[in-house]
Amino acid sequence: MAGCQVRTEVDITVEDDGSGKVEVGVGLDAEAVAELPDLDRNGVSDAADLGVLVRTDDLRATGWDIGAPSADSDGYTWIRATKPFGTPEEAAAVLNELTGANGPLRDWSLSREHSFGKTTYDFAGTADLSGGIEAFGDEGLAAALDGEPLGEDATAIEQRYGAPLSDMLTLKIRASLPGSSTKTWSPTLNGAPVTLKADSTVYNTPLLALAATAALAVVALIAVATIRLLRSRQS
């Protein structure tokens, strides 16, 4: 069972006007899917069982759109949740819903600033997985699982599968900013905190071209005026 793999991907996409969306995907490989209980009793563990197992009512109530689990061409069965945001401030609020404002994914910020002829975007956050997988749980979840954030001690899970959780669980975070700027981070479970930073600049080419043309016109007018002045003095 050392081949059992679960991937989590967080994608932040920002549009020119500062709106965008946050998408979270969790993918299970064939070995991980086989570990799911056969809830529909059809003789196999599959995407349908994952759809029944994952409760999404609370997520939907807070504006998340949850897709049905499906097998992808990469060999993983994915379930994805998406939530839009209208402003950079809303983006930080949506991202804080991932693990809580003080959770392992925190310190989110997104800004959009205008200056003459350009717009700059700055994205930042922190991915701190140093607390292990237990850091993704909370008191409510632990209470529902007999005091264990995962329902079982992490060491016992590693012993059963013959591999550390850091080899079985991976996280990837991507930020796509206007201007074709995409940056990816892959923090490691139990590893050192990772600072997430990305920025981009989008130039208003027509405005800058107009400004350059206007500047050239001013220079040309000054040159013509100077030549006329010199000629008048010579005559």
Side-chain angles (χ1 to χ4, degrees), residues 9-25 63-67 80-98 108-110 121 123 173-178 181-182:
E9 297 183 354
V10 178
D11 286 280
I12 304 99
T13 303
V14 183
E15 303 296 340
D16 290 347
D17 62 357
S19 65
K21 66 178 181 179
V22 176
E23 181 180 86
V24 181
W64 287 87
D65 179 34
I66 316 298
R80 292 183 170 89
T82 306
K83 187 171 183 177
F85 55 85
T87 66
E89 292 74 21
E90 288 182 13
V94 172
L95 287 164
N96 278 334
E97 294 178 9
L98 297 180
W108 300 106
S109 68
L110 175 66
Y121 303 83
F123 168 82
I173 302 171
R174 283 186 293 264
S176 299
L177 305 180
S181 174
T182 299

Side-chain angles (χ1 to χ4, degrees), residues 37-179:
D38 181 17
L39 298 176
D40 56 8
R41 301 182 182 278
N42 67 347
V44 294
S45 297
D46 54 19
D49 297 310
L50 181 61
V52 175
L53 185 65
V54 179
R55 299 178 182 179
T56 61
D57 289 347
D58 288 347
L59 290 172
R60 295 182 191 278
T62 56
W64 287 87
D65 179 34
I66 316 298
S70 61
D72 209 341
S73 58
D74 61 3
Y76 281 70
T77 296
W78 289 89
I79 182 169
R80 292 183 170 89
T82 306
K83 187 171 183 177
F85 55 85
T87 66
E89 292 74 21
E90 288 182 13
V94 172
L95 287 164
N96 278 334
E97 294 178 9
L98 297 180
T99 62
N102 299 314
L105 304 180
R106 59 179 183 270
D107 304 330
W108 300 106
S109 68
L110 175 66
S111 66
R112 175 176 177 263
E113 300 291 338
H114 286 294
S115 59
F116 182 75
K118 67 178 181 180
T119 303
T120 58
Y121 303 83
D122 286 285
F123 168 82
T126 299
D128 183 3
L129 309 189
S130 59
I133 193 65
E134 294 93 337
F136 288 92
D138 56 34
E139 293 181 359
L141 180 61
L145 298 174
D146 299 325
E148 290 285 352
L150 304 178
E152 186 178 2
D153 180 70
T155 301
I157 296 174
E158 292 178 331
Q159 290 176 346
R160 186 168 71 254
Y161 290 107
L165 285 173
S166 57
D167 287 351
M168 295 185 284
L169 307 175
T170 59
L171 171 64
K172 183 177 291 184
I173 302 171
R174 283 186 293 264
S176 299
L177 305 180

